[in-house]
Structure formats: C-alpha cells, structure tokens
Amino acid sequence: MPFPMPSGGAGGLGALGALIGPAMMLALALQKRGPVRTLSKAAADSPESARKAATLGLSEPPLAPLIRAGVVVRETDGRIWLNRVVARRRQWQLALIVGGAMIVLGTMIYLILSL
C-alpha cells in the first residue's frame, strides 16, 4: 500500500525541514572541538607529551569511550595522549559505517519512491 501523499505545498516544506533540522544539528556538533582534535592541537600524541585532561579543558564523559577504544591512552599518573594510528583507523571505520548506512538508506528511499 503506497504512502498517502500530502496535498498542497506544505508537504514539500515539511520534507525540507526534516532534512535541514538534522543537518543543522550536525553542523553545530562539528563546530565544537572534540577530545581528539583538542589532543591533536596540543600535540599530546606520545607518552612524553601527554597532558592532564583538566589542563586541556576536557571532561571525563567524552573521554571514556575513546579510552576504551584505545584512541586516547591514559598514563598511570592520569595524563592522557592521542594514539594517532588507532584514531586514524577508527575514523576510517566510522566513515565506512556511515557511508554504508547512507547508501542503504538512499537505496531504500529510491525503491520506495519508485514503486
């Protein structure tokens, strides 16, 4: 059974709003510097150049998943540093997952609209 299409011009504006809203939220999220970019900018990428999270303005909640993934390494004295090799690998993995999801979603939308 096909989806009912709204009549009038408001349906198109609603669809446009459904695309612009998430895009704006993503743009705002990308403007704020995350822990990886902060550590990279501070050149804290080895045990010798490790820094305390508080001196960089980083809090614990955003760091926890990065530490579990090995992207950020915590020394025994509490200093942290960025493992660039793991960070690059994780960035590619996330890009592939998001790209694959977008392709699947685009294909599904195309198939639904072409019926």
Side-chain angles (χ1 to χ4, degrees):
M1 175 178 207
F3 296 110
M5 297 299 289
S7 60
L13 292 176
L16 185 62
L19 295 175
I20 290 177
M24 292 303 293
M25 286 188 271
L26 180 63
L28 289 173
L30 291 176
Q31 284 180 347
K32 186 178 181 215
R33 249 187 350 193
V36 172
R37 192 177 295 166
T38 301
L39 286 166
S40 180
K41 190 106 172 154
D45 56 2
S46 69
E48 296 80 29
S49 62
R51 308 262 307 266
K52 293 274 188 181
T55 62
L56 298 171
L58 298 173
S59 59
E60 190 61 34
L63 287 174
L66 295 172
I67 291 171
R68 280 193 306 271
V71 173
V72 175
V73 179
R74 185 186 305 274
E75 296 293 322
T76 55
D77 61 359
R79 295 178 305 136
I80 58 173
W81 57 280
L82 174 66
N83 186 336
R84 289 188 184 271
V85 174
V86 176
R88 174 82 37 120
R89 189 176 331 122
R90 181 177 162 106
Q91 184 179 21
W92 274 103
Q93 287 173 346
L94 289 174
L96 288 173
I97 290 169
V98 170
M102 295 299 286
I103 289 171
V104 168
L105 183 64
T107 303
M108 287 173 48
I109 290 172
Y110 172 77
L111 290 173
I112 289 171
L113 293 178
S114 65
L115 293 177

